[in-house]
Amino acid sequence: MRTLQDRMWAEALGMLARADRAQRQLYQPGDGPAQQAAWEPPVDILDTGGDVLIVAALPGVAREDVKVTLDGADVVLTGARVPPAALRTADIHRMELPQGRFHRRVPLPPGRYDQVSLEMQAGCLYVALRKTP
């Protein structure tokens, strides 16, 4: 059972994470796609030895609505999460899932890559890049 102190700490950490995301989204330099985006999907970056795997949380986003490009030493994810039709007429009690356009630039670990594969599974986009010697 969680104590009141544990719950308060978890809530404080959640607020800090939300503030950090908002700051990154609002204060990016330039006027490119990132400025037009409403949110950045969270990502994990894993190195398996032979591949670099990027896992992006994109709940409710279809694979065909995501564009993945290589830009120098970065992978760029762009697309949109379309609000559900019920949102137009529903009384909203809580809304935490981001809506609208997203843009995320992910710096790759140093190295060279020669093959990219994409897969959407259980609300996550998996981008695998094969490392070359």
Side-chain angles (χ1 to χ4, degrees):
M1 182 169 185
R2 292 174 60 179
T3 66
L4 176 61
Q5 184 179 6
D6 290 340
R7 288 192 305 268
M8 290 174 63
W9 182 247
E11 186 175 329
L13 290 175
M15 288 190 306
L16 286 171
R18 287 190 297 276
D20 180 57
R21 280 194 302 273
Q23 186 272 334
R24 282 195 322 247
Q25 292 169 2
L26 292 174
Y27 300 106
Q28 294 182 19
D31 57 0
Q35 289 298 97
Q36 301 165 6
W39 61 288
E40 284 186 336
V43 298
D44 293 335
I45 304 170
L46 312 166
D47 190 333
T48 65
D51 296 307
V52 168
L53 179 64
I54 299 169
V55 183
L58 294 169
V61 178
R63 167 62 191 99
E64 57 270 10
D65 294 333
V66 180
K67 181 179 176 184
V68 179
T69 57
L70 289 173
D71 183 15
D74 298 341
V75 170
V76 180
L77 310 173
T78 55
R81 181 169 191 270
V82 179
L87 187 63
R88 290 187 213 112
T89 58
D91 291 332
I92 299 169
H93 294 275
R94 178 178 298 218
M95 221 173 139
E96 294 183 1
L97 293 175
Q99 309 291 327
R101 293 198 42 75
F102 63 86
H103 177 96
R104 181 70 189 258
R105 179 174 290 275
V106 181
L108 292 171
R112 295 188 325 162
Y113 307 93
D114 70 349
Q115 211 172 43
V116 178
S117 65
L118 307 173
E119 180 183 344
M120 185 69 84
Q121 182 180 344
C124 289
L125 176 69
Y126 293 81
V127 179
L129 300 107
R130 189 175 72 184
K131 294 197 254 181
T132 60

